[in-house]
Amino acid sequence: MAQFPVGSYIWIPDEDEVVIAAKVESTFSPGTAGKVSTLDGKSINLKAGETKEVKAMNPQCLEGVDDMVNFKELDEFSILNNLRSRYYVCFCFICVLWKPYLCVMFQD
């Protein structure tokens, strides 16, 4: 079973933002309680049930990149975070290429 060691970065589910990037404060495994801090400094104690949905994150995702081909690991959360960090202004509409009629809206 995978473990999330102290200092590693993870994606935690969030109702408003879909996922939030966080840094692990105490080592835990999926299905056990753990402590993390978000990038804005907020400390969060995760319950055992909440850690089942946690996903490992490559720290490279914290920096917005111009060309997402340069990501070592390209997944939906990395793409979402990169778009959010690069184009996040009060309201931003992004039409996704494979579904041009489906628009995603980020709002403050």
Side-chain angles (χ1 to χ4, degrees):
M1 181 178 272
Q3 275 197 332
F4 301 109
V6 173
S8 63
Y9 290 92
I10 59 171
W11 296 113
I12 55 175
D14 183 67
E15 290 181 17
D16 298 327
E17 298 286 331
V18 182
V19 290
I20 297 175
K23 188 173 183 178
V24 177
E25 296 291 321
S26 65
T27 301
F28 66 92
S29 299
T32 62
K35 184 177 181 180
V36 299
S37 61
T38 60
L39 301 181
D40 59 356
K42 182 181 173 187
S43 184
I44 300 174
N45 290 315
L46 298 172
K47 298 176 186 166
E50 295 172 324
T51 61
K52 290 180 182 179
E53 303 297 320
V54 169
K55 304 237 186 282
M57 178 182 87
N58 186 333
Q60 180 188 24
C61 298
L62 297 174
E63 306 165 9
V65 296
D66 292 332
D67 189 353
M68 287 189 262
V69 173
N70 294 327
F71 277 142
K72 292 178 183 174
E73 296 177 19
L74 188 62
D75 59 6
E76 62 184 313
F77 301 143
S78 302
I79 294 169
L80 178 63
N81 190 62
N82 190 52
L83 292 174
R84 189 183 297 146
S85 67
R86 290 182 62 211
Y87 302 108
Y88 193 68
V89 180
C90 196
F91 287 99
C92 179
F93 294 92
I94 299 170
C95 292
V96 183
L97 284 176
W98 59 88
K99 292 186 180 178
Y101 301 108
L102 174 68
C103 289
V104 179
M105 182 178 78
F106 301 110
Q107 67 184 46
D108 194 349

